[in-house]
Amino acid sequence: MPKKKTAQKKKALWSGRFSTGVDAAVQKFSRSVQFDWRLYRQDIRGSIAHARMLRKIGVLTAGELRSIESGLKQIGKQIDAGKFKWDESLEDVHMNIESALTKLTPAGAKLHTARSRNDQVATDMRLWVKEQIGLMAGNVELLQKTLVVMGSKNMDVCIPGYTHLQRAQPVYLAHHLLAYVEMLERDKGRLADCYKRADVMPLGSGALAGTTIKLDRKFTANELDFAAISQNSLDAVSDRDFMVELAFACSMIMVHLSRLAEDLILWSSSEFDYIRIGDAYTTGSSLMPQKKNPDVAELVRGKSARVIGDVQSLLVLLKGLPMTYNRDLQEDKEQLFDAVDHTSDALVLTAEMLDQTQVKADKCAAAVADPLLFATDIADYFVNKGVAFRHAHEVVGKAVALAEQRKIGLDELTVKDWQELNPVADARIKGCFKLKTAMAKRSITGAPGTKPVRQQLLRWMDSLE
Ligand code: ARG
């Protein structure tokens, strides 16, 4: 973190127009270096590329380029080592680095040729976004792998699947976990989409209207690994849609993680008792000695709120801005940093927590032994005997009521009971309550049956290799 320094009236690098520096309170109000310092690597990289291009078009001599490059690299090393003295009166990361460079070499004063902080900051943010997307996708994949491993370690475990949080039909635990793997795969797709649109270089757009100097923008873009250069200078310095997109991708990830967290919270409760979350990911209560609370999962769920808030802030920030750059845009960074930081942490911690979570196979087996979970299987049984589904549904509904009335399980009704409800019933109806058979029957693509779930586990192991 940059060290605090009292703001003082100091003339800026572009001080020609002004007789005094800005008021101390204004300086404090308007500076961003306390958060945008973290763009220093992107800023230095962008400046080196710009300098090389300036050399190529003859603005810099070979010697000037050399001194600029080595100065910028030296500054980068100082920042890496925490030895750089950030000057808050210099407003932001860009001014701090340029000012330090100019102290190292007089050629530093040429670096800002045909560049504005407006296209500079837009470029820095695009470089940062691209880098973060790569890291984020890696974290998403880490969680996907953890889910697949957990599923395959517990390949035979079935649990009740739920709708309305009511027990519905049996599913493999792996099928439930793989549902999240699917969601996360789409999240990766959203990140990749966002990357494509971030991969356009604004440098050369100047403050808003380009420059009269004949820049070689393609050269700079190539140096910076941008796939394309922006085609409209006004758009390039003023839109932040690529940041909103990343913040949204983060929100969607957080919403998925929040749902997974909610499942884990439920499953770890005494009411469900399907899993035991490792101690390192839970906390005790300061009052109740018996408590073991799933705080990490709860915080993942809780942090989704702030990340969703970050997207809102960014959208509201942009909505009323006249063309082109407006200082409001400085407020974009903290929101995006916040969204990315918390989403990355949540992904990694969720993966680590799942890795330290044990499945209680006996408790799952007890829950999935509920005969009511097979009611739909029995309706299907009648359908296979030629009964219309609506009639079959009614027959089973009546059977459920009958069992309830007799205070017995649905599986305890006799073949005769079933035949009284519909004469096509035979002894094989009892087989419908066998979990193994029931799971084997669910064989179509996408179903939670034995074969498709195994196939899906294999597919994911393969593709996440
Ligand atoms: N710190 C500023 C930001 O983040 C950099 C651009 C400032 N440009 C300007 N014309 N004041 O937006």
Side-chain angles (χ1 to χ4, degrees):
M1 270 300 291
K3 276 235 242 68
K4 283 238 159 90
K5 212 179 157 194
T6 8
Q8 62 224 157
K9 287 198 181 187
K10 194 177 195 179
K11 282 199 173 185
L13 286 176
W14 61 94
S15 58
R17 163 88 173 70
F18 299 92
S19 50
T20 100
V22 290
D23 181 78
V26 173
Q27 236 174 46
K28 184 163 183 270
F29 185 68
S30 56
R31 70 192 174 209
S32 56
V33 68
Q34 68 278 17
F35 54 81
D36 68 15
W37 70 273
R38 63 189 275 187
L39 295 172
Y40 76 93
R41 282 190 297 105
Q42 290 74 21
D43 200 69
I44 288 173
R45 195 176 159 213
S47 287
I48 290 176
H50 183 65
R52 286 180 186 165
M53 185 277 296
L54 290 178
R55 164 68 199 133
K56 183 168 183 269
I57 63 168
V59 172
L60 296 178
T61 65
E64 284 170 333
L65 173 62
R66 259 198 310 280
S67 66
I68 287 176
E69 268 206 54
S70 81
L72 286 169
K73 284 177 184 159
Q74 188 182 327
I75 292 167
K77 279 190 192 137
Q78 274 174 23
I79 303 174
D80 282 340
K83 287 187 183 134
F84 185 79
K85 280 186 70 148
W86 295 98
D87 183 345
E88 292 190 337
S89 70
L90 288 172
E91 229 178 84
D92 57 23
V93 61
H94 324 292
M95 301 311 304
N96 266 271
I97 292 174
E98 192 187 331
S99 155
L101 177 70
T102 312
K103 277 180 201 145
L104 289 175
T105 165
K110 289 192 176 180
L111 176 63
H112 214 51
T113 309
R115 186 176 72 167
S116 154
R117 278 185 299 159
N118 298 354
D119 58 352
Q120 187 178 358
V121 72
T123 303
D124 289 2
M125 282 313 293
R126 282 174 183 269
L127 287 171
W128 188 83
V129 161
K130 286 187 357 166
E131 194 179 303
Q132 291 302 317
I133 287 175
L135 297 171
M136 181 85 67
N139 289 336
V140 172
E141 219 159 277
L142 171 78
L143 178 56
Q144 284 182 304
K145 283 182 192 162
T146 313
L147 287 160
V148 171
V149 167
M150 187 173 178
S152 45
K153 269 197 204 153
N154 297 281
M155 205 132 110
D156 298 324
V157 175
C158 284
I159 54 169
Y162 296 79
T163 62
H164 312 272
L165 200 56
Q166 307 289 320
R167 286 180 181 176
Q169 293 184 281
V171 296
Y172 279 102
L173 175 74
H175 193 60
H176 192 126
L177 299 174
L178 288 181
Y180 287 104
V181 178
E182 296 282 348
M183 297 177 214
L184 292 166
E185 188 66 15
R186 290 193 295 278
D187 288 329
K188 275 197 309 200
R190 268 179 282 275
L191 290 170
D193 283 346
C194 171
Y195 187 97
K196 277 185 245 155
R197 281 181 289 277
D199 201 9
V200 178
M201 187 194 73
L203 269 185
S205 303
L208 77 159
T211 167
T212 57
I213 294 168
K214 298 259 177 307
L215 304 182
D216 187 343
R217 298 187 64 208
K218 284 198 174 141
F219 175 90
T220 319
N222 198 37
E223 287 282 308
L224 292 173
D225 286 327
F226 275 110
I229 57 176
S230 57
Q231 302 293 308
N232 183 301
S233 61
L234 307 182
D235 170 43
V237 296
S238 68
D239 206 355
R240 298 290 185 264
D241 52 358
F242 65 101
M243 292 169 64
V244 178
E245 282 190 54
L246 177 55
F248 173 72
C250 289
S251 301
M252 204 60 246
I253 292 172
M254 288 305 288
V255 168
H256 290 151
L257 293 191
S258 180
R259 295 186 64 195
L260 173 57
E262 173 64 8
D263 280 342
L264 298 176
I265 291 163
L266 287 173
W267 289 356
S268 66
S269 69
S270 317
E271 280 68 19
F272 283 76
D273 208 19
Y274 297 167
I275 57 168
R276 185 181 185 284
I277 300 176
D279 285 355
Y281 298 89
T282 58
T283 63
S285 156
S286 56
L287 177 72
M288 301 165 282
Q290 87 286 10
K291 286 298 287 288
K292 180 169 179 279
N293 299 324
D295 289 37
V296 172
E298 290 171 82
L299 279 167
V300 167
R301 190 177 57 187
K303 280 175 191 287
S304 65
R306 67 186 295 153
V307 179
I308 293 167
D310 291 329
V311 190
Q312 303 293 323
S313 300
L314 283 170
L315 286 169
V316 177
L317 177 70
L318 296 179
K319 81 174 237 329
L321 293 185
M323 288 286 246
T324 58
Y325 179 86
N326 295 274
R327 189 64 180 274
D328 316 43
L329 289 173
Q330 182 168 293
E331 290 289 310
D332 60 1
K333 285 161 213 71
E334 280 174 296
Q335 315 301 332
L336 190 65
F337 292 163
D338 186 82
V340 167
D341 291 346
H342 287 281
T343 306
S344 298
D345 287 352
L347 281 164
V348 173
L349 275 169
T350 304
E352 288 174 2
M353 172 172 60
L354 280 176
D355 195 50
Q356 298 299 312
T357 295
Q358 275 164 18
V359 175
K360 298 183 173 178
D362 53 332
K363 299 287 166 87
C364 296
V368 84
D370 180 350
L372 287 177
L373 293 171
F374 301 91
T376 317
D377 290 56
I378 300 186
D380 290 346
Y381 161 89
F382 282 113
V383 167
N384 284 329
K385 290 204 162 281
V387 180
F389 178 75
R390 278 289 156 234
H391 298 150
H393 188 283
E394 199 186 331
V395 166
V396 184
K398 280 183 179 155
V400 170
L402 181 66
E404 220 169 66
Q405 185 197 321
R406 289 195 202 155
K407 295 195 168 50
I408 58 171
L410 186 65
D411 55 339
E412 289 173 279
L413 291 177
T414 62
V415 178
K416 210 166 141 265
D417 291 331
W418 286 107
Q419 281 167 341
E420 269 162 31
L421 289 163
N422 190 312
V424 300
D426 61 19
R428 267 173 297 170
I429 197 165
K430 294 296 228 178
C432 293
F433 292 99
K434 288 206 173 73
L435 179 63
K436 212 170 160 190
T437 327
M439 297 319 281
K441 277 188 190 155
R442 290 156 162 80
S443 59
I444 61 171
T445 304
T450 316
K451 213 171 131 201
V453 171
R454 269 160 212 242
Q455 276 168 350
Q456 292 293 325
L457 278 171
L458 286 175
R459 175 172 78 85
W460 282 116
M461 277 188 232
D462 233 43
S463 73
L464 294 170
E465 222 6 273

